[in-house]
Amino acid sequence: MESVAQKTVTMDSPEDIALADRMNAGRKQIVSELGKLIIGQDDVVGQVLLTLFVGGNSLIVGVPGLAKTLLIRTLAQVLDLKFNRIQFTPDLMPSDITGTDIIQEDASGKRQMVFSPGPIFCNILLADEINRTPPKTQSALLEAMQEHRVTIQGRTYTLDEPFYVFATQNPIELEGTYPLPEAQLDRFMFHIVIDHPPEDEEFEVVRTTTAIIDPKFERTVTGEDLIAFQRLVRRVPVAEPVMRYALNLVRASRPKNPSCPENVKKWVAFGGSVRAAQYLVLGAKARALTAGRYHVSFDDIRAMAHPVLRHRVLTNFHAQSEGMTTDTLIDRLLESVSVPRSGM
């Protein structure tokens, strides 16, 4: 990731303010367009959009039938971005994702190796049930997620911008799955949990999906807009107390930190990485802008804690045996780490 310490602006230039207003209006428009197919799931949609505005990748976890694939495919349609979906299976090979060199004969009959791009060459990639493929194939995504490029046979190919990876997991099936290594999990900005909707929303889902649906989308946000929004997000100022609060939350999640809370020492095997603090700040910046504010508050940081930390705070055997979930641990972490009195 790029360093959080970038050129800071006070958002008082007309260009920055106009872009921030366009980002806020764009978010509302995207939500409205998604609503033509996606019923409810406001928190999930909000976190997916923050992923876009920051330029990260996110892991979406939920049982089958909750429109995970539909959400990401519809998002690509609304933004008019190239979308590819890969169904991860045990026999999937890295070349099935990145592409490979093939022998091709030209008009003169001469044979030469030509690169055939894989499905990763798109703007939005959906890695469906990513934990169903072995680690060797999972790792084929690492360079693309981090560097937005792939290397095949010693040659590097740059992916088109913007580029995002959204991966899904099914939490109720463990047989035949390969848990993602911690290093790969850390590449995901958010761990987004999608759950069954309330009864009224579920009724509306059943009603609309059993009728003929042919929505027409208005496309007001482009890929170029998203790249501009990502740059704007990184220029949003953050007061030092707010940034230190984000860092304190992450440091308190590490059991080897002498000042961490007792429940972390008791139940946590590994805490958040430096990347966790970076994504806390970046997510908070994007959240502030989409709320029409040009500064980051402590509440913005707190709102990002669960999706940023739930896949980075790894519980130990004691927590699992006592039924202690990561979300509950993060709740206690938020209670334990005090908000500075000074600042914002």
Side-chain angles (χ1 to χ4, degrees), residues 165-176:
V165 173
F166 289 94
T168 70
Q169 279 191 183
N170 177 354
I172 62 174
E173 292 185 16
L174 297 178
E175 185 175 350

Side-chain angles (χ1 to χ4, degrees), residues 203-341:
F203 176 86
E204 189 64 17
V205 169
V206 175
R207 187 187 69 79
T208 56
T209 56
T210 53
I212 297 176
I213 306 176
D214 186 22
K216 305 298 180 184
F217 298 116
E218 294 182 22
R219 299 181 173 96
T220 59
V221 177
T222 66
E224 290 76 14
D225 289 332
L226 290 176
I227 295 171
F229 295 160
Q230 292 170 18
R231 292 171 179 162
L232 180 68
V233 164
R234 289 178 176 270
R235 298 203 303 272
V236 172
V238 182
E240 182 176 331
V242 177
M243 192 170 291
R244 287 198 177 277
Y245 176 61
L247 183 59
N248 290 343
L249 279 174
V250 174
R251 290 178 63 84
S253 72
R254 301 168 185 163
K256 292 185 178 181
N257 182 358
S259 61
C260 74
E262 285 300 318
N263 50 36
V264 170
K265 293 179 181 178
K266 180 180 179 182
W267 288 315
V268 175
F270 298 99
S273 64
V274 175
R275 192 179 278 114
Q278 292 174 316
Y279 277 137
L280 275 178
V281 172
L282 285 170
K285 286 184 174 189
R287 184 177 187 267
L289 279 182
T290 55
R293 289 180 284 106
Y294 306 143
H295 66 274
V296 177
S297 70
F298 294 116
D299 285 342
D300 291 323
I301 299 292
R302 293 171 65 86
M304 296 295 98
H306 284 85
V308 168
L309 292 175
R310 64 165 55 105
H311 58 302
R312 294 182 167 95
V313 176
L314 306 180
T315 56
N316 58 23
F317 171 77
H318 298 293
Q320 295 164 16
S321 64
E322 296 179 29
M324 178 60 61
T325 66
T326 303
D327 276 357
T328 302
L329 272 170
I330 296 171
D331 288 336
R332 298 194 179 188
L333 194 65
L334 290 170
E335 294 171 358
S336 302
V337 179
S338 60
V339 175
R341 294 180 180 274

